[in-house]
């Protein structure tokens, strides 16, 4: 039962994130600001997916890939936050 609930929650979160990305990309001018960050998030997702595949095939080594994916995602979040702070600061000053 827990696995079914976990899969349903995962699919719902995935669809919400996919819809958010679609909305951001569809907007046009604003998406030019976020395109590099979306690309870096997709690279982090690709590395994490590679970690899942490596873990399923070989039974080890996935922790390194998950760590790399977390580092990429965290640094991307920091860069995006700093960029947004600069944009808001320029607007107010």
């Amino acid at each position: 039962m827990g696995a079914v609930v976990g899969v349903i929650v995962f699919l719902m979160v995935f669809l919400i994130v996919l819809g958010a990305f679609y909305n951001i990309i569809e907007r046009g001018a604003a998406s030019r600001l976020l395109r590099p960050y979306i690309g870096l998030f997709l690279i982090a997702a690709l590395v994490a997916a590679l970690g899942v595949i490596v873990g399923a095939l070989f039974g080890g080594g996935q922790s390194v890939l998950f760590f790399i994916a977390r580092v990429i995602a965290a640094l991307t979040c920091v860069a995006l936050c700093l960029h947004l702070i600069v944009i808001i600061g320029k607007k107010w000053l």
Side-chain angles (χ1 to χ4, degrees), residues 5-52:
V5 172
V7 168
I8 291 173
V9 169
F10 173 76
L11 287 176
M12 290 178 68
V13 169
F14 176 73
L15 289 176
I16 290 170
V17 170
L18 187 65
F21 278 142
Y22 177 74
N23 188 21
I24 288 171
I25 292 171
E26 184 180 310
R27 276 197 267 159
S31 70
R32 277 187 252 134
L33 169 74
L34 299 176
R35 277 187 193 155
Y37 303 111
I38 292 172
L40 286 171
F41 282 130
L42 289 175
I43 290 171
L46 181 67
V47 172
L50 186 62
V52 170

Side-chain angles (χ1 to χ4, degrees), residues 45-59 61-63 65-66:
L46 181 67
V47 172
L50 186 62
V52 170
I53 293 170
V54 166
L57 292 178
F58 301 114
Q62 67 191 17
S63 61
L65 291 171
F66 285 147

